[in-house]
Amino acid sequence: MVKPLSSNLIVQIRFNNKKVPIKLVFVAEKEVSGQLFGLGMDMKKTRQLIRMDHHTPAPDHGGEKGKKEYEIVYWVDGNLHYHILKWNQ
């Protein structure tokens, strides 16, 4: 199986009077598999805010198990699943 190359876009926006790098990722980076899209901010550490994955969801995630403690929302839509993460994670 050939792994596709990842593509990252980093742009600067003003956030609270500071320039903050916004990172947009298409396809997983290096060791991560199944991630199609991610959006986050780099502010001393990377804060991933939104992620779309394409792999079988973990059995302890979603459905009756619900979302993880660091997530605001988690849902499955066909072969894709989505994560909206809390700011401080």
Side-chain angles (χ1 to χ4, degrees):
M1 180 165 138
V2 176
K3 184 172 180 174
L5 297 174
S6 67
S7 177
N8 298 325
L9 173 65
I10 300 176
V11 296
Q12 298 275 332
I13 65 162
R14 288 212 174 270
F15 184 76
N16 206 18
N17 256 350
K18 295 182 183 176
K19 286 187 177 179
V20 177
I22 300 293
K23 186 174 184 180
L24 181 61
V25 176
F26 293 99
V27 183
E29 295 183 30
K30 299 177 187 165
E31 298 83 29
V32 181
S33 65
Q35 179 180 323
L36 290 178
F37 166 81
L39 177 68
M41 298 176 83
D42 283 326
M43 297 177 70
K44 295 188 182 176
K45 69 175 188 173
T46 298
R47 292 181 169 94
Q48 188 180 60
L49 303 174
I50 301 168
R51 188 173 80 239
M52 177 176 65
D53 294 341
H54 184 277
H55 60 80
T56 304
D60 66 339
H61 203 178
E64 293 180 12
K65 300 282 184 175
K67 62 187 187 295
K68 302 272 185 177
E69 64 183 46
Y70 53 84
E71 296 175 313
I72 297 171
V73 178
Y74 169 85
W75 74 96
V76 176
D77 181 16
N79 292 328
L80 303 172
H81 56 282
Y82 303 84
H83 308 261
I84 308 293
L85 306 178
K86 294 179 180 175
W87 173 252
N88 60 351
Q89 301 301 309

